Amino acid sequence: MVDQTRALWFSGTMSNDLDTVFAALADPTRRTILAMLLEDDMAVTDVAEPFEMSLAAISKHLVILTKAGLISQEKRGRVKWCKLEPDALRAASVWMQGFGQFEPVNLDAFERFLEVELPTAEE
Amino acid sequence: MVDQTRALWFSGTMSNDLDTVFAALADPTRRTILAMLLEDDMAVTDVAEPFEMSLAAISKHLVILTKAGLISQEKRGRVKWCKLEPDALRAASVWMQGFGQFEPVNLDAFERFLEVELPTAEE
DNA sequence: GGTTTGGTCAACCATTTGGTTGAATATGCG
DNA sequence: CGCATATTCAACCAAATGGTTGACCAAACC
């Protein structure tokens, strides 16, 4: 008999967070937003600009990202700034690492990889 | 102005895979199943046993996990065996690592990632 | 004060998701 | 053969998701 208790605990404990984090990450628009915020904090309007959908739609996406803890929003004046909160990915990352022996990745190489491959991605 | 091109490329390229993988991981039942398979391969019926839902429901979950590449299913006789495929987590894991400088650096994992060349949707 | 700008809210809509049940299809067993 | 076992299929359902539009509110500008 397999030790399912451990398995169930494993997936059960941090379920709430993982649900919302993974669900947030499952949408390409939201992943793109996160990637944009990697560069710098942005106002909601500026986040919305490159997308071909309404501001309201983006606003909803930002709510979802906020609830998942993946970004934070701070209102200064009438503009609301969005800031990446990469720590929110940690639990999910750890959970995933439980499955593979693939260790963390070389960030510098990854950056270089992005720079090099970039130009082909024009649309 | 921020270099959004790169950000958009970043989130755009492996979108198809990441969509299905993250969506698959967003459900606690499916995460539990993956954790169970960490222990050993299992028949569909045995996977379903600890859950309080129909076999058909579990069968659907297994289809979703299979389409995400997170498990494989092989039919031997009349029983279909489910096997964890942790490699499918790699792209998602790498994507996430792009955000947090969580951990020290390991070049090997990244090299392997590059060599694998992302699956070109077999359908 | 009146008008633009930044952003959300509310109502609505189509599609997807996660579940059910009952019938159907294999495969194995005596 | 006839029956039990393993699994999927099909139809259905409720709820969640991702988008729209138009009204709304708050801050900034002249």
Side-chain angles (χ1 to χ4, degrees):
Chain A
M1 177 55 186
V2 162
D3 179 11
Q4 286 179 346
T5 312
R6 198 181 92 191
L8 290 170
W9 171 87
F10 178 39
S11 69
T13 38
M14 7 184 212
S15 241
N16 301 339
D17 297 326
L18 292 184
D19 276 14
T20 57
V21 168
F22 281 130
L25 295 179
D27 183 278
T29 300
R30 290 193 289 266
R31 285 199 308 277
T32 301
I33 292 173
L34 292 178
M36 288 163 60
L37 292 176
L38 204 48
E39 318 266 1
D40 205 355
D41 297 358
M42 296 177 79
V44 172
T45 305
D46 294 333
V47 169
E49 193 265 331
F51 295 97
E52 288 175 348
M53 72 180 72
S54 70
L55 183 59
I58 296 295
S59 182
K60 282 189 189 179
H61 281 301
L62 292 173
V63 168
I64 290 169
L65 288 170
T66 301
K67 283 185 176 161
L70 290 164
I71 68 170
S72 59
Q73 292 183 285
E74 184 199 353
K75 194 169 180 182
R76 281 202 296 273
R78 64 180 164 181
V79 21
K80 203 168 186 178
W81 292 91
C82 304
K83 177 174 164 43
L84 188 64
E85 297 288 350
D87 276 5
L89 286 171
R90 178 165 287 137
S93 184
V94 166
W95 187 86
M96 290 174 66
Q97 307 264 335
F99 286 92
Q101 286 70 15
F102 38 94
E103 295 91 44
V105 131
N106 185 328
L107 239 277
D108 297 332
F110 190 57
E111 288 287 325
R112 282 202 305 280
F113 173 61
L114 291 183
E115 303 282 357
V116 167
E117 296 290 80
L118 172 62
T120 61
E122 205 39 56
E123 193 171 358
Chain B
M1 185 55 189
V2 162
D3 178 12
Q4 286 179 345
T5 313
R6 200 182 89 186
L8 289 169
W9 172 87
F10 176 42
S11 70
T13 37
M14 4 188 213
S15 243
N16 300 339
D17 299 321
L18 293 183
D19 276 14
T20 56
V21 168
F22 281 130
L25 295 178
D27 184 277
T29 299
R30 289 192 291 264
R31 285 199 308 278
T32 301
I33 291 173
L34 292 178
M36 288 163 60
L37 292 176
L38 205 47
E39 318 268 0
D40 205 354
D41 298 357
M42 296 178 81
V44 171
T45 304
D46 295 333
V47 170
E49 193 265 330
F51 296 96
E52 286 174 348
M53 73 181 70
S54 69
L55 184 59
I58 296 295
S59 182
K60 283 189 188 178
H61 282 301
L62 292 174
V63 167
I64 290 169
L65 288 171
T66 301
K67 283 187 177 160
L70 290 164
I71 67 169
S72 59
Q73 293 183 289
E74 184 199 353
K75 194 168 178 183
R76 280 203 296 275
R78 64 181 165 179
V79 19
K80 205 169 185 178
W81 292 90
C82 305
K83 178 175 164 40
L84 187 64
E85 297 288 350
D87 278 4
L89 287 170
R90 180 167 291 136
S93 184
V94 167
W95 188 87
M96 291 175 64
Q97 309 259 341
F99 287 93
Q101 287 76 4
F102 299 152
E103 316 284 337
V105 156
N106 179 323
L107 195 51
D108 292 358
F110 185 68
E111 294 290 331
R112 284 201 307 277
F113 167 67
L114 289 185
E115 283 164 11
V116 169
E117 94 180 38
L118 295 172
T120 51
E122 66 224 275
E123 282 191 272

